[in-house]
Amino acid sequence: MSMNEEFEETVLIKNRTGEQIVVPKHRLIKDSAKFRELFVTLNFDEHEIDDFSPEAVEIFLTLLDTKVLEHLELNMFRELHKLAVVFEVNWLTESCRVWLKGLINTASTREEKTYIFEECWYIADRLNTEVMMDVLICVLEHKDNTALLSDYLSDISVLETGRIDALLKLGGVDTDLFLQSVLQNLENKKELNLNVKYLLNGMNLAYSRERNEVLFLEVMDTISNLPEISVNDMRFVQKLMSDTARLVRSRKEERKTRKTVVWDVMKDFALFDSCNTVDDVLKAITDDRVTSMFMVVALLFYVCRLNVLNSEELQVFLTSLENLCRQKKLQKVSRQFICNITTALNYSEREESKLLINLLNKIKNNNLLSTHNGNVIIKCNKIVDVTEDKEAPVWYSSNVQLLNTTVTNTCLHI
């Protein structure tokens, strides 16, 4: 077949109303792996797209020709983004997400925040990627989200557990709001709702009690006095209270300890210089030269600069890291700390950034390796700098902030 014949070849796309749209075949297969499978590998001459509105399908087919997403109506984003994901049009998927990031960065009203939360939740829940939810949380956590959270938490029983997880991350350290919402949800109730239990299990109750002990005890008392509370739920409350009390005591003792930390930049440079592969990082942990997940994250950045890693290597590294942490009990890394890093990496055009984001997200979601940022205790240790009068390499300066964090922060093992 000549090039002209190939460009003249057409296929039929049917929408849900039965309308048939004649489309040049080359337009569909150029950027879409799914269309290449349908129209080249399987040699189909038509395909029905009946899960999307005719308007969304028309915009999608037009964009495959123009390849420029200039303007998008709010009600079209979800379908267009899903079409891009389903048919594996990577540039359009990224363009849609850049558009949504723009809304996230400028959202200020309750309505705007609700819209972007719903879209980010849909992407996380239905398309199985939390990349946009991570961006949303990182941007909105510094804003007042009381109205948004109160709307969702007014009836916890109707929420999906995944949505509760996202709200907990968005709420951050505003634990009073969650406890007050629990009390509101317990009004006129006879037994403990499963979603309320899930919310309490996901909260940082030690921090909640430190912040407002009266409110914390009121919630526990209210649950204990529910008319038809089950034996299992009573045990659940008792365990929450005992575990929380133990953690509060542990946190108080941790804050009392002070120590002098010897700071030698060149020594830390030597550590980086010796870790050229992920296997070197694991060896440094085994040799007790690395005792913090903060440092592991910093070293991963350096290793990724030196090597082209693949997903299989990183998965093996993660499994080995988990096994080592069961033995060594490294200081955990703050989940919010990782969220900030992955959000920044989302703007990187380097291919290895995607692999690093995936690995960091797995670390963030692993309770053995990371913890809620409320569990990070800032300690006023005395730091003695014994660095010799030598200049560290330029690449090393970008890791100084990470290294300072490892010295001054302590993560409780919970």
Side-chain angles (χ1 to χ4, degrees):
M1 180 183 297
S2 68
M3 184 175 295
N4 287 336
E5 290 175 327
E6 183 178 345
F7 271 76
E8 290 173 359
E9 192 174 359
T10 61
V11 294
L12 288 179
I13 297 295
K14 297 180 181 178
N15 63 27
R16 65 168 56 159
T17 65
E19 179 186 0
Q20 296 184 349
I21 307 170
V22 179
V23 186
K25 182 177 177 179
H26 72 88
R27 182 197 302 179
L28 298 179
I29 66 176
K30 183 177 181 181
D31 296 325
S32 168
K34 188 64 176 178
F35 280 137
R36 283 196 294 274
E37 178 186 357
L38 292 171
F39 298 127
V40 178
T41 305
L42 299 178
N43 202 29
F44 289 173
D45 56 12
E46 64 178 51
H47 181 67
E48 185 174 2
I49 306 179
D50 55 1
D51 292 333
F52 302 88
S53 68
E55 295 80 7
V57 173
E58 181 180 356
I59 294 172
F60 175 61
L61 295 176
T62 300
L63 285 172
L64 289 180
D65 183 33
T66 63
K67 293 182 171 52
V68 178
L69 180 63
E70 294 181 336
H71 178 70
L72 185 60
E73 297 293 336
L74 295 179
N75 64 338
M76 282 288 108
F77 168 78
R78 181 176 297 186
E79 286 193 288
L80 185 59
H81 175 260
K82 186 176 179 181
L83 276 164
V85 173
V86 169
F87 289 99
E88 302 176 35
V89 184
N90 295 333
W91 72 264
L92 183 54
T93 300
E94 183 58 28
S95 295
C96 288
R97 292 178 182 179
V98 169
W99 179 86
L100 186 58
K101 287 175 185 176
L103 294 187
I104 292 173
N105 289 328
T106 59
S108 58
T109 67
R110 176 188 299 186
E111 292 74 18
E112 289 171 341
K113 291 179 180 179
T114 300
Y115 173 81
I116 59 176
F117 182 86
E118 283 299 310
E119 295 308 316
C120 290
W121 163 245
Y122 182 88
I123 292 172
D125 182 50
R126 300 295 181 86
L127 305 182
N128 199 31
T129 174
E130 295 188 2
V131 58
M132 295 310 302
M133 185 60 76
D134 286 342
V135 172
L136 179 142
I137 291 169
C138 189
V139 173
L140 291 192
E141 67 168 345
H142 305 296
K143 300 181 180 181
D144 180 7
N145 302 305
T146 304
L148 174 69
L149 292 168
S150 297
D151 285 346
Y152 281 105
L153 295 171
S154 61
D155 188 357
I156 299 173
S157 65
V158 301
L159 298 176
E160 304 93 329
T161 54
R163 198 187 295 258
I164 293 175
D165 291 335
L167 292 171
L168 283 168
K169 293 177 183 177
L170 184 60
V173 296
D174 191 6
T175 53
D176 283 7
L177 174 61
F178 288 100
L179 291 178
Q180 289 163 355
S181 298
V182 169
L183 283 176
Q184 177 185 339
N185 278 262
L186 291 173
E187 289 181 2
N188 303 318
K189 296 295 190 298
K190 295 183 178 181
E191 56 187 10
L192 186 59
N193 179 267
L194 287 175
N195 277 4
V196 173
K197 289 177 65 175
Y198 186 87
L199 175 66
L200 290 171
N201 258 329
M203 288 182 62
N204 184 350
L205 292 178
Y207 180 81
S208 303
R209 183 166 181 170
E210 288 177 338
R211 178 170 172 152
N212 193 333
E213 184 173 14
V214 173
L215 181 58
F216 170 82
L217 293 176
E218 183 181 358
V219 170
M220 295 298 112
D221 287 343
T222 301
I223 296 174
S224 299
N225 292 321
L226 289 172
E228 298 180 9
I229 186 170
S230 67
V231 173
N232 285 338
D233 286 345
M234 183 61 77
R235 290 172 179 165
F236 168 77
V237 175
Q238 291 173 346
K239 187 176 187 305
L240 279 185
M241 293 188 68
S242 61
D243 289 349
T244 301
R246 174 178 54 80
L247 285 172
V248 168
R249 287 194 301 270
S250 176
R251 290 163 68 92
K252 286 181 179 178
E253 291 300 318
E254 186 69 27
R255 288 191 182 92
K256 290 178 183 178
T257 62
R258 295 289 185 270
K259 62 182 179 180
T260 298
V261 178
V262 178
W263 177 253
D264 185 347
V265 170
M266 299 310 295
K267 180 179 179 181
D268 288 307
F269 161 63
L271 171 63
F272 273 76
D273 197 39
S274 68
C275 292
N276 297 316
T277 67
V278 288
D279 288 338
D280 292 337
V281 177
L282 294 173
K283 187 176 187 306
I285 297 172
T286 303
D287 296 342
D288 293 326
R289 289 180 291 134
V290 172
T291 59
S292 163
M293 280 301 302
F294 287 99
M295 182 63 81
V296 172
V297 171
L299 289 170
L300 283 173
F301 272 88
Y302 179 57
V303 170
C304 285
R305 287 178 178 179
L306 299 179
N307 303 277
V308 178
L309 302 175
N310 58 54
S311 56
E312 290 77 15
E313 287 179 294
L314 293 179
Q315 184 56 51
V316 171
F317 168 78
L318 182 62
T319 302
S320 300
L321 180 62
E322 290 176 352
N323 293 334
L324 276 175
C325 283
R326 289 189 178 92
Q327 305 167 23
K328 298 289 184 178
K329 294 190 179 299
L330 271 66
Q331 289 182 7
K332 298 178 183 180
V333 64
S334 161
R335 294 187 184 116
Q336 193 56 52
F337 176 77
I338 293 182
C339 180
N340 291 339
I341 294 175
T342 54
T343 299
L345 284 173
N346 276 315
Y347 292 92
S348 170
E349 296 180 355
R350 298 181 62 174
E351 187 63 30
E352 58 266 31
S353 295
K354 297 178 181 178
L355 289 175
L356 190 54
I357 289 171
N358 186 48
L359 176 63
L360 291 174
N361 281 333
K362 289 180 179 179
I363 291 175
K364 181 188 70 176
N365 296 323
N366 190 315
N367 292 330
L368 190 65
L369 307 177
S370 67
T371 187
H372 188 280
N373 57 302
N375 288 323
V376 179
I377 297 178
I378 307 300
K379 298 173 62 176
C380 300
N381 293 326
K382 180 181 179 181
I383 301 177
V384 178
D385 192 344
V386 297
T387 304
E388 295 182 11
D389 188 17
K390 297 179 181 178
E391 186 175 349
V394 175
W395 62 261
Y396 181 74
S397 61
S398 63
N399 293 290
V400 170
Q401 185 65 35
L402 289 172
L403 296 174
N404 279 329
T405 305
T406 68
V407 174
T408 57
N409 292 0
T410 297
C411 288
L412 292 182
H413 296 289
I414 63 171

